[in-house]
Amino acid sequence: MGTVNFRGTLIPVNGYWNEGAKQISFDSPYAAYSGNLTMFDDPTTRIRHLVLSGQVTMKSPSLLAGRNGTWVATTDTSLIGPAVSNSDLPPVGAFLTSNILHSGLGR
């Protein structure tokens, strides 16, 4: 349970995390989401990339109610502790997000 800050408005969310399957699902007044959370550590830059990818379905009162599709979101955080080994490569969006956030553009 928690909130998401969407353009300055706090929106309540309820969700569930399945550690074994690395799957996450959550529900808000505007959308329902189910997908995977993947983590990619870069020990050189000490950055942990987090990538959500899965299916989203829009609900009323959203202007897009009834529509569904694939949603991918990336973010990153400082890597604390040892890097977690991962054989997969993250989507290019993870690196793009990191470059924008950490290149001094102030975004």
Side-chain angles (χ1 to χ4, degrees):
M1 294 180 70
T3 59
V4 173
N5 184 336
F6 181 73
R7 298 180 182 165
T9 301
L10 294 180
I11 299 172
V13 293
N14 288 310
Y16 176 76
W17 169 248
N18 180 329
E19 178 69 28
K22 303 293 186 212
Q23 292 182 327
I24 188 169
S25 61
F26 55 84
D27 200 36
S28 81
Y30 302 96
Y33 170 83
S34 179
N36 293 51
L37 174 64
T38 310
M39 185 173 59
F40 302 95
D41 289 348
D42 184 345
T44 305
T45 60
R46 305 293 302 158
I47 293 174
R48 172 168 284 167
H49 301 277
L50 302 167
V51 181
L52 279 171
S53 60
Q55 295 295 310
V56 65
T57 301
M58 302 305 292
K59 304 184 324 188
S60 293
S62 170
L63 297 175
L64 299 174
R67 291 193 178 183
N68 59 46
T70 302
W71 183 58
V72 176
T74 65
T75 190
D76 57 47
T77 186
S78 296
L79 178 60
I80 299 171
V84 174
S85 177
N86 196 331
S87 61
D88 297 328
L89 289 175
V92 70
F95 292 115
L96 179 60
T97 301
S98 179
N99 288 343
I100 290 171
L101 291 174
H102 299 284
S103 67
L105 296 175
R107 295 182 185 182

